[in-house]
C-alpha cells in the first residue's frame, strides 16, 4: 500500500500544470541608474525592453540574445562603458536560478529555469494588451 501511495504522489508531482503569466512589470534598470545626471532616463527604454524579455523567459539562448540587445541598445546612447557594465551585470545577476524579482522568466512562478515557451504560453504573452516593450531596436 505504501508503494502505491508513493507512486501516486510521484505521478502527481511530475504532471504539468497550466500556469498563467503575471502581468508585466518593470523596475527600470533594477539597481542600476536609468541614465546620467544630465539625462536621467537615457537608457531606461533599453532596460524596460530588456525587462519585457526577462518577464517572458524562455531558453538560455533567448536570454543571451536579450542581454546582447540590451548591450547594443545602451551602446546607441553613446555610453559604451555603461553598456559593458550593464551586460556584465545582467549576465551575472539575471539567472533564473536566483529567486529575485528581476530573474529570467520572472513573470512565471519560481522556479521556472530555462525552458522553451509552449504555444499556449506564447499565446498568453501575445494576448496581453499594451505591449509597448516588445521591440528593443531604437531607430
Amino acid at each position: 500500500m505504501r508503494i502505491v501511495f508513493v507512486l501516486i504522489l510521484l505521478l502527481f508531482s511530475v504532471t504539468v500544470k497550466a500556469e498563467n503569466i503575471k502581468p508585466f512589470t518593470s523596475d527600470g534598470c533594477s539597481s542600476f541608474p536609468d541614465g546620467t545626471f544630465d539625462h536621467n532616463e537615457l537608457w531606461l527604454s533599453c532596460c524596460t525592453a530588456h525587462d519585457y524579455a526577462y518577464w517572458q523567459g524562455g531558453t538560455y539562448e533567448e536570454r543571451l540574445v536579450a542581454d546582447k540587445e540590451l548591450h547594443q541598445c545602451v551602446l546607441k546612447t553613446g555610453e559604451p562603458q555603461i553598456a559593458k557594465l550593464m551586460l556584465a551585470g545582467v549576465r551575472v545577476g539575471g539567472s533564473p536560478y536566483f529567486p529575485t524579482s528581476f530573474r529570467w522568466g520572472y513573470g512565471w512562478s519560481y522556479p521556472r529555469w530555462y525552458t522553451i515557451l509552449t504555444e499556449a504560453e506564447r499565446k498568453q504573452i501575445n494576448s496581453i494588451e499594451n505591449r509597448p516593450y516588445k521591440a528593443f531596436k531604437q531607430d
Side-chain angles (χ1 to χ4, degrees):
M1 184 65 171
R2 188 181 291 179
I3 292 173
V4 173
F5 178 72
V6 170
L7 288 174
I8 291 172
L9 186 63
L10 284 173
L11 179 66
F12 283 116
S13 67
V14 295
T15 57
V16 177
K17 68 173 185 129
E19 182 184 1
N20 291 323
I21 194 166
K22 296 172 190 82
F24 173 70
T25 59
S26 174
D27 63 359
C29 298
S30 299
S31 298
F32 199 84
D34 296 334
T36 65
F37 289 119
D38 292 334
H39 299 94
N40 61 354
E41 294 184 353
L42 184 59
W43 50 77
L44 176 60
S45 63
C46 302
C47 294
T48 306
H50 186 253
D51 283 354
Y52 187 77
Y54 265 56
W55 166 75
Q56 295 177 67
T59 65
Y60 175 85
E61 291 76 18
E62 289 171 316
R63 178 177 170 224
L64 188 57
V65 167
D67 291 346
K68 288 179 178 179
E69 287 176 344
L70 171 68
H71 180 256
Q72 290 299 312
C73 185
V74 177
L75 273 176
K76 289 179 183 178
T77 68
E79 298 288 344
Q81 297 301 339
I82 296 295
K84 280 185 195 178
L85 189 59
M86 289 177 84
L87 179 60
V90 296
R91 293 306 303 155
V92 171
S95 170
Y97 305 118
F98 303 136
T100 61
S101 62
F102 49 82
R103 71 182 182 281
W104 179 250
Y106 70 84
W108 307 98
S109 296
Y110 180 82
R112 175 69 180 189
W113 317 136
Y114 293 111
T115 186
I116 295 172
L117 294 170
T118 67
E119 187 62 32
E121 290 169 339
R122 290 195 186 278
K123 283 181 181 177
Q124 260 190 76
I125 291 164
N126 290 332
S127 72
I128 294 174
E129 295 181 23
N130 300 320
R131 296 177 296 126
Y133 310 112
K134 190 170 183 175
F136 269 94
K137 286 131 183 111
Q138 294 179 339
D139 296 324

